[in-house]
Amino acid sequence: MTQKLSPTAKRMKAIRDKRTAMTPARRKKKAENQRKRRAAIKAGKNIKGKDYDHKDRKFKSVKANRGNDGKGTKKEKK
């Protein structure tokens, strides 16, 4: 479900999202995720619809990989 944003707000959000996605920490996580996905597919695992959880170091559903396992993001360690 997409957000209902004005054209200006949509443009500014795209800029913010791009800047966040290109930080060194996010780029490392993205590269790690790509390596893990390729290895899992090569090993014959079905990871369709799943994301790699960097904290638990395993593939989880997208839903389960949000919000610090139900504890919320305020308590999540940095």
Side-chain angles (χ1 to χ4, degrees):
M1 208 162 140
T2 60
Q3 292 179 317
K4 295 178 183 177
L5 300 173
S6 69
T8 307
K10 188 182 255 188
R11 221 175 11 259
M12 296 307 292
K13 181 175 177 357
I15 292 168
R16 283 193 312 273
D17 289 351
K18 176 76 170 180
R19 194 177 308 137
T20 302
M22 299 307 284
T23 60
R26 289 297 312 147
R27 290 175 77 178
K28 283 181 183 176
K29 287 179 184 178
K30 183 177 179 180
E32 180 187 8
N33 193 11
Q34 288 174 339
R35 283 193 305 272
K36 298 286 185 180
R37 289 189 77 79
R38 288 177 186 143
I41 290 168
K42 194 179 264 190
K45 294 182 182 175
N46 182 15
I47 56 170
K48 186 174 181 177
K50 294 186 178 183
D51 282 346
Y52 185 72
D53 186 348
H54 298 275
K55 194 171 83 179
D56 295 340
R57 298 186 182 274
K58 62 182 179 179
F59 286 97
K60 290 181 167 182
S61 70
V62 175
K63 182 179 178 183
N65 198 18
R66 300 290 184 267
N68 196 24
D69 298 318
K71 297 179 186 116
T73 56
K74 286 185 178 182
K75 296 179 181 179
E76 194 168 28
K77 292 182 182 179
K78 298 235 174 197

